[in-house]
Amino acid sequence: MDHGTSFSRRGIIAADRGQKNRLFLVLIMTACLFQSILANQTTDSGEADRLESALAEAVGQERLDILLTLSEYFVSRDPEKVILYATQALELSRNLRKNLAMGRAHIHRAVGFLQSGNLDEAEKDYQAGLRIGSKEDHHGIMGAALNGVAAVALNRGDSTNALANFQRAIRHVRQDGDRSRLAGIFNNISLIHYRSGELRKALDFMLKALRIYEELDHQPGVGIVLNSIGNLYNRLNNPDQAMSHFQNALKIARETDNRQLTVVCRVNIGEIQKERGHFSEALASFKAAHADAGKLGSLDYQAVCLNNIGDVFHRQGLWKDALDSYQQSLELFQRMNAKPRMVTSHLNMGNVYLDINRLDLAETHLKLAVRLAVETESRSLQKDAVWSLIRLYETKKDLAKALEHYREYTTLQAQLFSRENYAKLSALQTKYESEQRLSAQKAQESSVRIRQLDRKRRILVTLFLVAILVIGAMILFFLYRRYRLRTRTEMELREAYARMERIARFDNLTRLYNRHTILERIDIEMVRMGRTWRPFCLVMLDVDDFKRVNDTYGHECGDLMLRHLADLVRNHLRQADVAARWGGDEILIMLPETDMTGGAILAGKLRSLVETSPMNYKNREIALTVTMGINVYNRPGPVSECIRGADRAMYAGKQMGKNTVVRLDEINNQADATVPEN
């Protein structure tokens, strides 16, 4: 989850997958922080202009009310104005000795700091608001402050403290009756389960939040939850559903003038476009998001967008442009003193320099990445940086240092499988659910006692038995309604879980395995190879001139061609072989216990079969050819390197004229690309 590095198509694909997850989560968490305040906003842009004009002449309580209203309005629009007006409101409320107004001003300013990426100042203001709320026994302020404290912890990666404070916030928010803030907390809790891989619990809390927002007709909240659900679909390797949710969320963000959600959705849409290989579209999305982040005043978002722009350039092999973008991103992270993000930038730059054989510069950045990762306890990023150092020292032929770092890499890999934090989260969640059931039971018992006492005061003795029957009927009806509601909710959840189970393993179009499933199967084969030392082969297959087919005959023909190709591949492979749709028109094939020569023989037969098996479309035969790249996994290390090699071999085949099979060992003597020094 803590990956911040996105690698090019020639880079480590598994690490790229980790980056995508982290990027989505960071943006979701930030988006969710402000929905509770947004729920209470009723000021439109014209009214905000009028209030700003009236501010110059307003004094006393009137000026304080205007400042608090304006600081609420500019949340998700302009964090600098939020901080400005909230600071003025804080000073004025102190002079007027208005404690509750001071609490609100602290929370508003904390939101502005949080949106600008200043977590330390945000936490100080949330804690100040919490102290005032506790002193005044105001559940609304205490709930908002605890929600903010939890949000800061969530941004710092401290899920345990975040969940504990969200639970405390829920108790106060329920007593205050603020359902919109309650929905926001539910969505935030879903992010913790999303991060830990507990997708069913994550979906449960997302649906709770969505149900409340729809009942309140609160469109900004609906947009934020749709974005969260889109990320869940993306985690399950269903980019089509994810894209649909992101686009719907973006539409709501534009309609409600929510600039922050607009940035989030554009970045998420750009990530999917990048993974599909639509680099020009992805670059346009990231640049638009960067422009919006600049208007929003968020250094954090601007830096993330620059990092993503660098990822696109990296995947296209535009080394200088990639380095320029990563450098700008690093400078912004340094201004924020965001050390975990600085690890990401140094790691990205180190990998670019490694790709272009600038080994001294690569070593400098990678060592900085390791040091900062150790300081911030970012073990996953540390593991990636150490692996890049192994690659570097192997290139330098310094096998002693390579072996030293390989031992460190093995230790880190073992540590990352720890389930201790997940156990703590499960224990806290169990405690939270128990407290919620107890609270609901006490509330129901109190309600029954109040109704009984009220009726005893108003009814005559002669109607006592009738009153008892009426009360009993009402209770039975209430229980029946609750039973029906619970049954309907459980059915909806079961249907949602069943749909996700179906889409979690197979690609909807080709009925081949999806990327997530084949990576699981490859992990199993890696373990077997470690025991038996029998290699396995990876074949990257890509349809030749697929875009021309789509442009000439339409996307319906393109989809039929992919199904036709999938049938040919499936029927040609052995029972133990595994094939999956890797992305777009690419298919990844794993051949267990097969060396490079055996893989080349099978791939050659498959290429000939495809060439001699045209597809019939509307009484027309359409020729079909494929280009395949082959690599063999025969020594320990990340499988992403092996996939990368097959990908490189396939692209070499494209350059050699297509309709061919290329082995990686045939192209290994080619010179690495270089760029001029910055």
Side-chain angles (χ1 to χ4, degrees):
M1 294 290 296
D2 291 330
H3 286 294
T5 309
S6 181
F7 297 83
S8 69
R9 195 173 194 81
R10 305 178 187 180
I12 300 176
I13 297 172
D16 184 272
R17 193 157 57 106
Q19 155 65 7
K20 181 174 67 172
N21 289 341
R22 184 178 190 277
L23 177 61
F24 279 108
L25 284 173
V26 169
L27 294 173
I28 299 169
M29 287 189 288
T30 309
C32 291
L33 305 180
F34 314 107
Q35 52 194 333
S36 300
I37 289 181
L38 289 171
N40 300 319
Q41 288 186 2
T42 56
T43 307
D44 58 24
S45 58
E47 179 68 8
D49 293 339
R50 187 191 68 77
L51 290 175
E52 286 188 302
S53 300
L55 189 61
E57 299 178 0
V59 295
Q61 184 64 45
E62 179 185 6
R63 180 177 177 83
L64 179 59
D65 292 339
I66 292 176
L67 288 170
L68 289 173
T69 301
L70 288 173
S71 65
E72 277 191 349
Y73 171 75
F74 284 106
V75 168
S76 82
R77 295 180 174 90
D78 191 336
E80 293 183 359
K81 285 192 174 182
V82 174
I83 296 171
L84 172 66
Y85 290 130
T87 301
Q88 294 180 20
L90 186 59
E91 294 171 354
L92 183 56
S93 60
R94 283 177 181 148
N95 294 335
L96 297 176
R97 297 185 177 180
K98 301 287 186 179
N99 289 340
L100 294 180
M102 285 175 58
R104 290 179 61 196
H106 273 300
I107 292 172
H108 291 182
R109 190 169 70 173
V111 172
F113 281 131
L114 191 58
Q115 193 172 2
S116 300
N118 193 336
L119 300 183
D120 293 335
E121 292 298 324
E123 185 174 28
K124 290 178 183 177
D125 273 319
Y126 279 131
Q127 293 290 357
L130 180 59
R131 287 192 294 271
I132 293 173
S134 300
K135 182 179 179 181
E136 299 294 325
D137 195 25
H138 193 284
H139 292 291
I141 291 178
M142 284 191 286
L146 286 167
N147 184 38
V149 170
V152 171
L154 196 55
N155 271 275
R156 286 173 171 164
D158 189 352
S159 299
T160 302
N161 284 332
L163 184 57
N165 282 296
F166 281 139
Q167 291 169 359
R168 294 173 62 195
I170 285 174
R171 291 195 292 271
H172 293 292
V173 169
R174 286 190 186 278
Q175 289 185 319
D176 191 54
D178 190 344
R179 297 186 69 213
S180 62
R181 196 182 300 277
L182 179 64
I185 296 174
F186 283 158
N187 195 56
N188 282 344
I189 292 175
S190 76
L191 302 177
I192 297 177
H193 295 302
Y194 178 91
R195 171 183 286 180
S196 66
E198 300 174 276
L199 301 187
R200 291 190 175 185
K201 285 187 177 181
L203 176 63
D204 193 358
F205 279 99
M206 288 177 191
L207 293 177
K208 286 180 181 178
L210 184 61
R211 193 174 296 115
I212 293 175
Y213 282 137
E214 288 178 340
E215 290 173 1
L216 297 175
D217 193 25
H218 180 241
Q219 290 303 304
V222 171
I224 290 170
V225 180
L226 287 176
N227 182 70
S228 298
I229 295 175
N231 281 286
L232 193 145
Y233 274 114
N234 190 71
R235 179 76 171 271
L236 292 170
N237 297 298
N238 191 337
D240 295 334
Q241 284 289 345
M243 179 68 84
S244 174
H245 282 76
F246 292 149
Q247 289 173 339
N248 289 335
L250 178 60
K251 179 181 178 183
I252 292 175
R254 289 170 173 167
E255 292 172 352
T256 58
D257 192 26
N258 190 327
R259 293 178 185 173
Q260 186 191 22
L261 183 57
T262 300
V263 175
V264 171
C265 295
R266 280 179 168 164
V267 170
N268 290 346
I269 289 171
E271 280 291 316
I272 292 180
Q273 291 168 336
K274 182 183 72 176
E275 291 304 308
R276 289 174 169 174
H278 302 163
F279 296 127
S280 59
E281 297 174 8
L283 194 60
S285 295
F286 291 144
K287 287 184 175 179
H290 181 258
D292 287 339
K295 296 175 184 176
L296 191 62
S298 173
L299 296 180
D300 187 39
Y301 279 13
Q302 292 179 62
V304 168
C305 292
L306 286 169
N307 185 72
N308 289 346
I309 291 171
D311 292 341
V312 175
F313 289 140
H314 194 174
R315 294 185 68 163
Q316 291 178 302
L318 302 175
W319 314 114
K320 186 178 184 304
D321 293 334
L323 287 170
D324 290 341
S325 297
Y326 289 146
Q327 181 63 40
Q328 294 177 50
S329 176
L330 175 61
E331 291 170 359
L332 291 177
F333 289 145
Q334 288 172 334
R335 285 176 57 187
M336 297 164 56
N337 195 28
K339 289 186 178 180
R341 300 294 188 86
M342 290 160 60
V343 178
T344 297
S345 296
H346 282 301
L347 184 53
N348 280 338
M349 296 178 73
N351 279 311
V352 173
Y353 283 125
L354 186 56
D355 285 344
I356 63 177
N357 209 29
R358 299 290 298 279
L359 302 184
D360 291 337
L361 290 173
E363 185 175 15
T364 299
H365 283 283
L366 292 174
K367 285 184 175 179
L368 281 172
V370 171
R371 180 173 62 80
L372 290 171
V374 171
E375 292 177 6
T376 57
E377 297 183 353
S378 303
R379 290 189 177 89
S380 184
L381 286 174
Q382 182 185 353
K383 179 174 71 72
D384 289 344
V386 169
W387 178 251
S388 294
L389 281 172
I390 294 172
R391 292 171 52 211
L392 183 145
Y393 289 126
E394 286 182 345
T395 304
K396 283 186 168 185
K397 308 300 183 183
D398 190 344
L399 300 183
K401 287 187 177 180
L403 179 59
E404 176 185 349
H405 284 85
Y406 187 81
R407 290 169 180 157
E408 182 182 359
Y409 175 87
T410 304
T411 301
L412 288 168
Q413 192 172 34
Q415 291 174 349
L416 287 173
F417 280 99
S418 171
R419 300 297 180 184
E420 181 180 354
N421 289 335
Y422 291 169
K424 290 180 180 178
L425 288 177
S426 299
L428 284 171
Q429 180 64 21
T430 301
K431 180 180 177 182
Y432 153 71
E433 292 172 350
S434 299
E435 291 175 352
Q436 289 301 103
R437 287 194 295 270
L438 181 60
S439 176
Q441 182 180 355
K442 289 181 178 179
Q444 184 178 3
E445 291 172 356
S446 298
S447 176
V448 172
R449 286 198 299 269
I450 291 171
R451 288 200 300 269
Q452 289 174 343
L453 290 173
D454 184 59
R455 282 172 174 75
K456 286 180 180 179
R457 287 194 299 266
R458 292 186 293 120
I459 63 176
L460 299 174
V461 175
T462 55
L463 299 178
F464 177 77
L465 293 176
V466 175
I468 293 296
L469 292 175
V470 171
I471 293 173
M474 291 175 63
I475 294 174
L476 288 174
F477 177 74
F478 174 74
L479 292 175
Y480 175 74
R481 287 287 301 275
R482 283 181 61 85
Y483 169 77
R484 289 290 302 274
L485 178 62
R486 180 177 178 181
T487 302
R488 184 168 65 251
T489 302
E490 289 178 348
M491 289 179 62
E492 291 173 354
L493 285 173
R494 282 197 297 269
E495 292 174 357
Y497 296 156
R499 286 196 301 271
M500 289 193 174
E501 288 290 343
R502 287 194 299 272
I503 65 177
R505 300 192 65 82
F506 291 92
D507 175 66
N508 289 337
L509 177 62
T510 63
R511 299 303 177 187
L512 296 174
Y513 286 124
N514 58 26
R515 177 186 290 218
H516 177 75
T517 303
I518 196 171
L519 287 175
E520 288 182 345
R521 297 291 295 273
I522 289 175
D523 286 342
I524 295 171
E525 193 61 29
M526 286 171 61
V527 173
R528 180 182 297 152
M529 195 283 293
R531 293 197 309 264
T532 65
W533 288 98
R534 295 177 182 173
F536 62 89
C537 213
L538 294 179
V539 180
M540 185 67 73
L541 179 151
D542 187 84
V543 180
D544 296 332
D545 301 317
F546 185 69
K547 184 176 184 302
R548 179 178 57 78
V549 173
N550 278 331
D551 293 342
T552 304
Y553 302 100
H555 289 280
E556 179 185 12
C557 178
D559 290 345
L560 290 174
M561 178 171 286
L562 289 178
R563 292 195 190 101
H564 175 69
L565 176 60
D567 290 339
L568 292 175
V569 172
R570 189 184 298 108
N571 294 332
H572 182 71
L573 295 181
R574 302 170 300 182
Q575 185 174 1
D577 299 336
V578 180
R581 187 181 182 188
W582 189 249
D585 57 337
E586 291 181 338
I587 293 176
L588 179 64
I589 303 171
M590 182 188 72
L591 307 175
E593 299 188 7
T594 304
D595 59 12
M596 184 76 81
T597 301
I601 293 172
L602 186 144
K605 292 180 180 179
L606 178 58
R607 185 202 64 77
S608 299
L609 174 65
V610 172
E611 184 179 16
T612 57
S613 304
M615 184 189 73
N616 189 289
Y617 178 70
K618 295 184 178 179
N619 297 324
R620 298 183 61 179
E621 285 193 350
I622 301 176
L624 170 65
T625 62
V626 295
T627 299
M628 288 180 274
I630 307 174
N631 196 8
V632 65
Y633 185 93
N634 55 13
R635 66 184 182 93
V639 74
S640 54
E641 286 295 315
C642 189
I643 298 175
R644 175 191 180 195
D647 201 51
R648 285 178 53 204
M650 183 270 289
Y651 272 99
K654 293 287 188 180
Q655 296 171 358
M656 292 165 59
K658 306 176 183 178
N659 191 22
T660 186
V661 176
V662 177
R663 296 164 45 150
L664 179 64
D665 54 8
E666 296 174 348
I667 64 169
N668 269 340
N669 293 328
Q670 295 182 1
D672 292 326
T674 60
V675 298
E677 188 170 347
N678 290 338

